[in-house]
């Protein structure tokens, strides 16, 4: 679909569990609501809940957002910083991540150097404040074994968080390099995760994954189109046999695309939005599940993906002194693969029906491993 000046226009549609006509009516200029279907359709970036992102669609307001974030009184001094924005990730009505490069036109002092990259994250109201708290806590606790991007500013009016860009080599790239380089990167990742799991849980986090597992199952069943609802059956089987384990602070979305290997050999950990508490095996299993997803989608060699997961788990156990029983890891791997089974559709993969089925089959296989 073409937008202004022939540029592509990204639309998103959302199905609601209940009627939201009253909420949507406030945004009728750019949102079309179908009450009989409970579906709202909007063009990006006119998001129904991300008010800061909506404002950022207008150049004048985008410059004001940056001016507030960088602490300058002259919003036009950041014109070129805004012009180079690149969309990194977008979850409608939840959050949006944009990358920019800092170019001060008038040489004012700021937290970044000229031409340095930054990330601007827009949140639904109140979510951004929680993420700022997480970044500050983990920035203080990290340093030797892991580093999180420094929060530079939070603009409450726009629910916009400004973060420095982590410099280094993405772990995803390291996994495709020589085995020696991949081993070094995975050892650094394991060291970071061990240190992370040893931190005191000094932040308000959720500790139950029940709703997330059930929600993923509903989505996967919809994609599979199987009237017997096998994903829901797997979810209920998982929740009936949750393994007992020690509780630790978890990243919640730990995988190779969230990790940057710095020149100093220390891992930079990105995206603290899914921070939670639970079994340390959860983070390890999600790394393995994401690597398997990349293999299914043809983004990495399948043998390399399997090896990377095993090597990370072995390195983690050796460094932490914790032995994680295979059956416990298989439980978390099955749950993680169930969540990952929606990814081919979310990423607009041309063969998403078969890829969804393949990932769900892997989730069932991991569950069978748990039962053995």
């Amino acid at each position: 679909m073409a937008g202004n000046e022939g540029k592509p226009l990204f639309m998103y549609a959302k199905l609601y569990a209940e009627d939201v006509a009253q909420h949507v009516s406030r945004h009728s200029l750019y949102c079309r609501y179908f009450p009989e279907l409970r579906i709202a359709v909007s063009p990006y970036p006119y998001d129904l809940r991300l008010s800061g992102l909506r404002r950022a669609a207008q150049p004048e307001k985008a410059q004001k957002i940056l001016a507030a974030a960088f602490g300058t009184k002259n919003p036009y001094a950041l014109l070129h910083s805004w012009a180079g924005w690149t969309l990194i990730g977008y979850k409608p009505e939840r959050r949006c991540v944009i990358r920019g490069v800092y170019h001060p036109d008038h040489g004012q002092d700021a937290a970044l150097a000229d031409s340095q990259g930054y990330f601007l994250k827009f949140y639904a109201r109140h979510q951004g404040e929680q993420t700022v708290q997480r970044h500050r806590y983990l920035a203080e606790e990290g340093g030797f074994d892991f580093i999180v991007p420094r929060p530079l500013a939070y603009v409450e009016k726009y629910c916009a968080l400004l973060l420095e860009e982590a410099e280094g080599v993405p772990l995803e790239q390291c996994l495709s390099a020589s085995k020696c380089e991949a081993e070094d990167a995975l050892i650094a990742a394991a060291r970071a995760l061990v240190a992370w799991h040893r931190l005191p849980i000094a932040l308000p986090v959720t500790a139950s994954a029940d709703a997330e597992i059930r929600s993923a199952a509903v989505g996967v069943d919809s994609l599979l189109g199987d009237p017997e609802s096998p994903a829901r059956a797997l979810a209920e089987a998982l929740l009936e046999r949750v393994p007992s384990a020690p509780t630790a602070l978890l990243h919640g979305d730990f995988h190779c695309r969230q990790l940057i290997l710095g020149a100093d050999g220390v891992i930079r950990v990105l995206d603290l939005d899914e921070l939670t508490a639970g079994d340390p095996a959860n983070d390890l299993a999600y790394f393995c599940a994401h690597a398997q997803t990349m293999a299914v989608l043809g983004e990495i060699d399948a043998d390399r993906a399997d090896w990377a997961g095993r090597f990370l788990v072995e390195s983690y156990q050796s460094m932490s002194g914790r032995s994680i029983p295979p059956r416990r890891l298989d439980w978390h791997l099955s749950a993680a693969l169930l969540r990952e089974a929606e990814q081919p559709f979310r990423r607009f993969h041309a063969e998403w029906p078969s890829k969804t089925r393949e990932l769900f089959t892997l989730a069932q296989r991991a569950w069978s491993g748990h039962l053995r």
Side-chain angles (χ1 to χ4, degrees):
M1 183 178 293
N4 293 335
E5 301 176 357
K7 295 179 181 178
L9 183 63
F10 174 58
M11 306 288 291
Y12 79 92
K14 184 166 182 176
L15 172 65
Y16 292 86
E18 56 189 26
D19 186 37
V20 292
Q22 186 174 359
H23 169 67
V24 172
S25 65
R26 299 198 300 269
H27 309 288
S28 58
L29 287 176
Y30 51 83
C31 178
R32 178 72 183 275
Y33 183 60
F34 300 89
E36 66 280 4
L37 300 174
R38 299 197 307 278
I39 291 177
V41 181
S42 297
Y44 170 85
Y46 295 97
D47 191 284
L48 294 178
R49 298 190 188 277
L50 304 185
S51 59
L53 181 62
R54 291 200 304 270
R55 292 184 175 96
Q58 305 171 49
E60 298 83 3
K61 290 186 177 180
Q63 291 164 39
K64 288 182 179 179
I65 292 173
L66 282 179
F70 283 113
T72 175
K73 295 181 179 180
N74 181 5
Y76 300 101
L78 294 161
L79 175 63
H80 296 303
S81 291
W82 167 78
W85 277 0
T86 302
L87 179 64
I88 300 298
Y90 177 45
K91 293 187 176 181
E93 301 190 18
R94 294 178 62 189
R95 56 185 175 268
C96 180
V97 186
I98 292 170
R99 181 187 182 274
V101 177
Y102 182 65
H103 291 303
D105 286 3
H106 300 297
Q108 73 277 8
D109 293 330
L112 295 178
D114 188 9
S115 300
Q116 185 174 348
Y118 64 85
F119 288 108
L120 194 61
K121 300 185 75 170
F122 293 98
Y123 290 90
R125 192 159 297 280
H126 306 308
Q127 290 180 325
E129 296 173 5
Q130 185 181 57
T131 303
V132 172
Q133 184 183 6
R134 293 171 175 179
H135 272 275
R136 286 174 178 163
Y137 170 68
L138 289 162
E140 292 176 1
E141 295 293 337
F144 294 105
D145 296 312
F146 70 84
I147 295 172
V148 298
R150 188 165 48 103
L152 302 176
Y154 179 64
V155 186
E156 185 176 1
K157 180 179 179 181
Y158 302 109
C159 300
L161 173 62
L162 180 69
L163 294 166
E164 65 179 357
E165 183 178 29
E167 296 183 353
V169 181
L171 200 76
E172 176 186 9
Q173 183 176 326
C174 297
L175 294 186
S176 299
S178 69
K179 199 165 186 179
C180 182
E181 291 177 277
E183 284 181 352
D184 289 343
L186 288 166
I187 288 171
R191 185 182 303 115
L193 195 57
V194 169
W196 191 287
H197 288 166
R198 285 176 175 166
L199 293 175
I201 303 175
L203 293 166
V205 292
T206 57
S208 175
D210 294 20
E212 187 176 9
I213 290 174
R214 287 194 172 101
S215 176
V218 170
V220 172
D221 275 335
S222 298
L223 296 173
L224 293 175
D226 191 328
E228 295 186 3
S229 302
R232 286 183 181 88
L234 175 58
E236 293 307 318
L238 283 164
L239 295 174
E240 286 175 4
R241 300 176 65 112
V242 179
S244 59
T247 299
L249 182 67
L250 305 182
H251 181 274
D253 195 21
F254 191 81
H255 58 77
C256 65
R257 287 177 173 152
Q258 306 283 34
L259 307 173
I260 305 290
L261 180 63
D264 54 5
V266 178
I267 288 288
R268 276 68 174 162
V269 184
L270 310 180
D271 193 356
L272 308 184
D273 295 318
E274 303 297 334
L275 208 68
T276 184
D279 186 347
N282 181 299
D283 278 338
L284 291 166
Y286 198 75
F287 184 96
C288 297
H290 188 272
Q292 290 186 34
T293 300
M294 292 173 63
V296 166
L297 298 181
E299 298 168 352
I300 189 175
D301 177 74
D303 290 338
R304 177 58 70 96
D306 289 339
W307 168 81
R310 290 196 308 273
F311 189 85
L312 179 78
V313 172
E314 291 168 2
S315 300
Y316 176 92
Q317 292 184 121
S318 175
M319 292 178 191
S320 66
R322 292 176 176 173
S323 178
I324 299 177
R327 293 181 71 246
R328 199 171 106 209
L329 189 64
D330 282 337
W331 187 96
H332 287 284
L333 181 60
S334 180
L337 284 164
L338 179 60
R339 289 166 55 192
E340 284 289 282
E342 293 182 286
Q343 290 306 311
F345 178 78
R346 290 179 180 273
R347 297 186 196 178
F348 309 106
H349 195 282
E351 299 176 12
W352 65 262
S354 62
K355 299 302 181 183
T356 298
R357 172 66 66 180
E358 190 172 347
L359 284 167
F360 179 65
T361 300
L362 289 174
Q364 291 176 309
R365 189 177 302 164
W367 173 243
S368 297
H370 169 76
L371 294 177
R372 282 198 295 271

